[in-house]
Every structure is written in structure tokens, then in C-alpha cells.
Amino acid sequence: MVETSSYGQGTLRYFFFHGNHGDVPLPRHLTVEANVVVFNGKGEILFGQNFDKGPSCYEFQGGFCRNADGQVEDPLPAKSFVEKIMKNISVPSLILAEVPKAILVLGRSDIRPCTAGDREYLSVMMKTFVPRMLRVMAPTASEYLPGDAHNVCVGVADRMEMLEDDPDYHTFIAMYRGRYVQKPLPRRAVVELCLLHVLKMPFELNTSIKSSLIRY
């Protein structure tokens, strides 16, 4: 596992790969469908399910995760962080979090129904784009400055292109182009657009709470 010092200041930063915060009123009792996967800095899975196997169910009572797929003991890593994030997402989402010694990815799809297209897109993104980005971002996390997102995207895209070729990666870029790009662009430009979407607005957990971006 990569040491905390490899992740900037070791703060709980998080990035939306897909989806965003929601503002629906949350009931006292809530069941969340989600996949929680932990990667190391090399893009290798340390903990969690494959998205192809479907999500797990997490039961919240009064804002706290009390049950996970029928088990009273909750196996979630970075439990308090995941609780806060899960309760603040109301659309199918894919989130990357920089936590000490690991990188956690949370896919959530419970409040608004997750369509088959959503699931396929999130699954392909999870298996191809996310690990590739992690491999090039993790060693330089401390150099990341939110105001410089455009230049960071160019640099990250350069390093991503140097990794081994992967047909599924090209499949994801085609999916992203079909969903979000309304004009013909070369593949490299599409990659940079996707990265800009992810990197232009990173959040730090404590700041998000103080700024009321996260409600709990």
C-alpha cells in the first residue's frame, strides 16, 4: 500500500467522476445500494467488489450505517467518510476519495433508479479509466492545485497515453464521447474533457461540511 505521504497532505479529498451532490430530503431510515472499492496508488484493487457482481446494500438508521447486506458489523473502510458521502448523493455516481494509505472509489445508485446504461457506463469507467488515472495521479498528488486544472489535465492525459494500450479504455472514451461530447473531437481531446470534469472541483471533506456542501 502507498504511504500517506504519497497523497499530498493526507486530507480526505474527493472527486466526482460521475454524478453530483443531491438535495433530496433524506428519511431517518435509508437503504443504499453501492459498491465500495479501495485501490492502491498503482490502480490495483485492495478491497471491494467487482461492479459486474452488482451492488451491496447498506442500511442507514439516523444517519449511521447499521447494517451491510444483513451483517451488523459494517466492513466499510474509512467508515465515517463513506457514511457522509453516501448520504449526500442522490443520483448514480462514481466518486474517488483520497484517504490515508488508500484510494477509495464509491459507486452509488439507489435514490434515482440506475438504468442499464448508467450501470454499464459506471462499470466500464471503474474498470478502465479510473485505475489508469490513479496510476498517474497518485505519485504527484501533492503537486495538484485546483486552480490549475486545465494544465493538470494535459499532464495527466500525457502520462495516461504512455501506459499500455487497452481496448476497453478506448471503449470508455467512445462511451464518454457519445454521452457528453456534442461535437466531433479527437480521442485525446475527449480524454482531456473528461479529466477536466473530474479535476476542476476537488473537495476537502472538512471544508465541504463547513460550507454546507455536505449536510451531515
Side-chain angles (χ1 to χ4, degrees):
M1 296 174 69
V2 179
E3 293 301 320
T4 306
S5 58
S6 297
Y7 295 92
Q9 303 304 310
T11 57
L12 292 176
R13 291 195 302 185
Y14 62 100
F15 305 84
F16 279 104
F17 276 80
H18 176 78
N20 210 329
H21 284 296
D23 57 1
V24 296
L26 294 176
R28 179 171 176 78
H29 182 270
L30 175 69
T31 299
V32 174
E33 289 186 357
N35 291 88
V36 179
V37 180
V38 177
F39 288 90
N40 63 14
K42 298 179 181 179
E44 301 163 337
I45 294 178
L46 300 176
F47 170 93
Q49 294 178 304
N50 188 309
F51 267 42
D52 292 337
K53 296 181 180 178
S56 296
C57 290
Y58 299 92
E59 181 181 348
F60 286 80
Q61 186 72 35
F64 296 96
C65 188
R66 299 299 188 191
N67 209 317
D69 276 349
Q71 299 180 5
V72 176
E73 293 298 322
D74 178 25
L76 292 182
K79 183 174 184 290
S80 62
F81 175 81
V82 177
E83 285 181 340
K84 290 180 175 66
I85 293 296
M86 276 186 172
K87 292 182 295 183
N88 281 273
I89 306 301
S90 60
V91 296
S93 301
L94 186 63
I95 306 160
L96 178 146
E98 174 192 323
V99 300
K101 295 184 179 289
I103 297 176
L104 179 146
V105 177
L106 168 69
R108 168 170 174 169
S109 58
D110 68 310
I111 296 180
R112 179 173 77 75
C114 192
T115 66
D118 287 334
R119 286 192 189 278
E120 181 184 15
Y121 177 79
L122 294 175
S123 177
V124 174
M125 188 180 213
M126 177 75 174
K127 291 185 292 187
T128 62
F129 188 80
V130 173
R132 203 175 186 92
M133 178 179 161
L134 295 185
R135 286 176 62 183
V136 302
M137 280 288 291
T140 59
S142 60
E143 301 172 12
Y144 177 68
L145 298 174
D148 194 30
H150 183 267
N151 288 333
V152 172
C153 291
V154 173
V156 171
D158 285 340
R159 296 195 295 275
M160 288 174 68
E161 286 188 346
M162 296 173 63
L163 299 178
E164 64 274 12
D165 200 26
D166 179 0
D168 290 336
Y169 175 69
H170 302 311
T171 297
F172 169 74
I173 300 306
M175 293 174 74
Y176 186 87
R177 179 188 282 114
R179 274 180 168 247
Y180 302 113
V181 182
Q182 306 302 320
K183 53 187 176 181
L185 289 176
R187 188 181 69 204
R188 170 56 186 264
V190 175
V191 172
E192 290 185 17
L193 279 177
C194 185
L195 288 169
L196 187 62
H197 170 79
V198 174
L199 298 174
K200 67 181 179 181
M201 194 177 295
F203 295 94
E204 193 272 323
L205 188 60
N206 291 330
T207 301
S208 294
I209 295 171
K210 292 176 182 178
S211 302
S212 298
L213 294 174
I214 287 183
R215 292 163 290 176
Y216 298 96

